[in-house]
Amino acid sequence: MRILITGASGQLGGALQRVLAGEEVLPLSHADLDIANRDDVMRTVANSQANAVINAAAWTDTAGCESDPVRARQVNGEAAGYLAEGCREAGATMVHISSNEVFDGGKGAPYVEDDRANPINEYGRSKLLGEEMVAANVNEHQIVRTSWLYGPGRVSFPEKILERVRTDGRLRLVTDEIASPTWTVDLAGAIGGLLKHREYGIFHLANDGECSRKEWAEEIVSQRGLHVPIEETTQATFNLPYRKPVVSTLLNTRAAALGVTMRPWREALADHLRETRPVAEEVSRT
């Protein structure tokens, strides 16, 4: 299969190249293709002769999206529509990466694919627009919602936590933001599995289980064998200009019915920490 990947220099883009190495992969970074330029997108997709396009490009800066919703809609919404148009014209399947933040968090239970989206911040609104643009422009689409990505190649949540342990010796994390930490390597493998099926629509792919940001940090330091005080707090404490959904755990039902499943998040985290070099070795383990 010939697969074009946008956002190839990002953490998911890198994992996709690693996992899909047996396929003919065409990785494109932002420097190679500005997905917000419709003419360039249409020309690039047509010339690639790809069987599938995986759109892993996104603007994920929540604060940035809140302050510049026009740009957020362009990058996360309209640009996804351009890629979908290109896929339709080229006869390619489109895999579009979306987010748990299309939900408002008010359900109080894990979300399934058919639950109504109702984003509460500009990032989530732009990602929902992207879903809508993809669905409207190409029939053969797989919209993959995921959450709390981390992985090799970038400094992500686990590395930030361990660095804060090294520099501060203590942590403070929120308890009112709950979702599923998802290792990009596992997600990339699941996307590869999903591509083998000619089933289309919305799919939830995240590592199994859920936790708060505080519980995630506790697991990170525990798996490193560290003993660090972690204070609990809430989102309101930080007086941020945006809200995050309180419970936005994603339940995988549609992909699981096809045999595409993802393991518990703690197992994935253990593999990630084994693969990455410790950054907090000097912290006391007593």
Side-chain angles (χ1 to χ4, degrees):
M1 181 180 291
R2 190 173 175 86
I3 303 172
L4 186 152
I5 300 172
T6 65
S9 61
Q11 60 178 355
L12 178 56
L16 285 163
Q17 293 175 69
R18 168 182 170 180
V19 169
L20 300 174
E23 307 292 344
E24 186 178 0
V25 174
L26 307 173
L28 298 178
S29 67
H30 177 72
D32 301 315
L33 175 66
D34 177 3
I35 62 170
N37 185 315
R38 181 181 180 277
D39 290 341
D40 284 352
V41 166
M42 297 296 288
R43 180 169 54 252
T44 299
V45 174
N47 291 342
S48 73
Q49 298 183 321
N51 306 110
V53 173
I54 303 176
N55 181 30
W59 190 26
T60 59
D61 179 356
T62 308
C65 290
E66 203 68 23
S67 64
D68 192 350
V70 172
R71 181 188 171 200
R73 288 194 295 270
Q74 289 172 340
V75 176
N76 294 335
E78 295 165 12
Y82 303 154
L83 285 163
E85 285 185 68
C87 287
R88 184 187 67 224
E89 295 300 315
T93 296
M94 180 167 177
V95 180
H96 175 65
I97 309 305
S98 190
S99 169
N100 60 314
E101 292 195 41
V102 301
F103 294 113
D104 60 17
K107 182 181 177 181
Y111 286 92
V112 297
E113 291 86 351
D114 291 334
D115 282 328
R116 185 176 72 89
N118 183 37
I120 58 175
N121 57 47
E122 292 297 337
Y123 170 68
R125 293 183 189 103
S126 70
K127 294 301 289 183
L128 180 58
L129 175 61
E131 291 187 9
E132 293 168 346
M133 295 292 286
V134 169
N137 282 286
V138 62
N139 290 330
E140 295 186 351
H141 65 264
Q142 295 175 330
I143 294 169
V144 173
R145 293 175 180 150
T146 191
S147 61
W148 288 8
L149 294 186
Y150 69 97
R154 288 289 181 93
V155 175
S156 47
F157 188 82
E159 290 73 41
K160 290 176 182 178
I161 289 298
L162 292 172
E163 177 63 16
R164 283 171 57 188
V165 168
R166 186 186 70 81
T167 57
D168 300 341
R170 61 189 305 111
L171 298 166
R172 184 173 65 150
L173 279 300
V174 300
T175 56
D176 61 345
E177 188 186 354
I178 297 169
S180 309
T182 303
W183 195 31
T184 54
V185 178
D186 282 2
L187 176 58
I191 290 170
L194 191 60
L195 264 174
K196 296 176 182 178
H197 297 274
R198 297 187 65 82
E199 297 287 337
Y200 306 111
I202 296 173
F203 300 87
H204 287 177
L205 290 177
N207 280 117
D208 191 42
E210 66 180 16
C211 62
S212 68
R213 291 281 182 178
K214 178 176 181 287
E215 290 168 330
W216 190 8
E218 287 171 339
E219 186 66 21
I220 291 165
V221 299
S222 174
Q223 289 198 19
R224 275 286 191 240
L226 305 172
H227 301 279
V228 182
I230 302 180
E231 177 187 347
E232 70 176 49
T233 187
T234 62
Q235 295 186 53
T237 303
F238 297 98
N239 196 30
L240 295 170
Y242 55 82
R243 290 187 298 150
K244 292 278 193 174
V246 175
V247 180
S248 56
T249 310
L250 300 174
L251 190 63
N252 168 10
T253 61
R254 296 196 64 226
L258 302 174
V260 180
T261 59
M262 295 183 69
R263 60 181 167 164
W265 68 267
R266 287 182 175 84
E267 293 180 14
L269 175 63
D271 278 354
H272 173 73
L273 292 176
R274 277 192 291 268
E275 285 195 10
T276 54
R277 186 171 65 183
V279 297
E281 288 302 320
E282 60 270 46
V283 177
S284 171
R285 295 174 180 270
T286 62

